[in-house]
Amino acid sequence: MLPSRPGLIVFDLDGTLVDSAPDIAQAVDIMLGRLGLPRAGEVRVRGWIGNGVEMLVKRALTGVARPEGEPPRFREALDLFMDAYAGHMCDRSRVYPGVMDGLAAIKAGGFPTACVTNKHSRFTQTLLEQLGLAPYLDFVGSGDQFGQHKPHPEPLLKTAAHFGVAPAQSLMVGDSANDAEAAHRAGFMLALVPYGYHGAVDLAALEPDVVVESIADLPGLFEVP
């Protein structure tokens, strides 16, 4: 259970609210094809999501999880990806089951809500609006709007400050090690979902306060009617 009733609930986007991997993978493969490189495929791309668009492109160009420096043709590849993804952002991306019901109950309960993502702002708001999630979120923070990406605590701390809520009274809801590390470093409470893009990581090792099978189960943790 959570140590206290949250005064702010912050959600990750990709892998927590939305399964966006099919469209991200399609854009990666379009980018690679235009560079004359072999396709990566959705299975591999799922393991590359979560650290922002620049890291995604570096991983796609090198095939390694922690590339150093800028690989050849990086800037060209980045532009190609951005254009490809802009044209295919909502072809197959879907809201995870239970998300809409959970968000509706949380908003009805009067909780302030935010989405904090490493996704570029060029895509975040459009994706939220097209999938019907925007009305449930009071604040949206994208990767390029902060000085640091998650797992750095800055995005969460600045979001809590925006609402005037203490970090210890704020809840991060995510799916990955990045979300967990950001929450712990920021002093947030942490809820994790078992789906998403955490790969083979054991969720228990990420030390969440709670694991919820669905966002629909989240309101029951703080007695939302």
Side-chain angles (χ1 to χ4, degrees):
M1 295 298 293
L2 297 175
S4 63
R5 182 180 172 92
L8 168 66
I9 304 173
V10 180
F11 296 92
D12 174 53
L13 179 55
D14 299 309
T16 300
L17 299 179
V18 176
D19 183 8
S20 51
D23 290 329
I24 293 173
Q26 178 179 215
V28 166
D29 283 340
I30 291 171
M31 172 198 78
L32 292 171
R34 290 176 179 168
L35 293 172
L37 298 172
R39 292 165 53 92
E42 185 176 328
V43 172
R44 294 187 74 197
V45 173
R46 280 182 178 270
W48 295 339
I49 295 171
N51 293 96
V53 63
E54 292 196 0
M55 182 59 72
L56 172 69
V57 170
K58 290 177 182 179
R59 287 168 172 166
L61 290 174
T62 63
V64 300
R66 299 184 181 275
E68 296 183 3
E70 289 191 0
R73 305 181 73 182
F74 169 70
R75 292 295 162 183
E76 178 187 1
L78 182 61
D79 288 343
L80 287 171
F81 173 83
M82 297 284 273
D83 289 344
Y85 189 50
H88 298 279
M89 203 184 316
C90 286
D91 288 0
R92 292 183 292 156
S93 291
R94 296 292 182 267
V95 176
Y96 284 108
V99 166
M100 300 299 282
D101 289 342
L103 290 179
I106 287 166
K107 287 299 292 178
F111 292 87
T113 57
C115 176
V116 173
T117 174
N118 287 343
K119 201 178 197 75
H120 196 281
S121 59
R122 178 177 174 184
F123 310 120
T124 304
Q125 193 65 37
T126 299
L127 185 66
L128 290 170
E129 289 173 357
Q130 290 192 13
L131 294 178
L133 296 172
Y136 299 104
L137 299 164
D138 300 311
F139 174 82
V140 176
S142 299
D144 56 308
Q145 295 172 321
F146 300 107
Q148 302 284 342
H149 284 167
K150 295 179 294 180
H152 196 281
E154 179 189 315
L156 297 187
L157 291 173
K158 286 191 171 181
T159 300
H162 171 81
F163 286 94
V165 177
Q169 297 304 312
S170 303
L171 172 65
M172 176 71 210
V173 183
D175 69 293
S176 70
N178 277 345
D179 298 322
E181 183 178 341
H184 291 316
R185 291 173 67 184
F188 275 44
M189 294 178 279
L190 174 64
L192 293 175
V193 294
Y195 52 82
Y197 309 142
H198 56 77
V201 174
D202 179 6
L203 293 184
L206 302 179
E207 300 182 341
D209 293 292
V210 66
V211 175
V212 290
E213 292 298 316
S214 165
I215 300 299
D217 298 331
L218 197 58
L221 299 180
F222 22 88
E223 300 175 357
V224 172

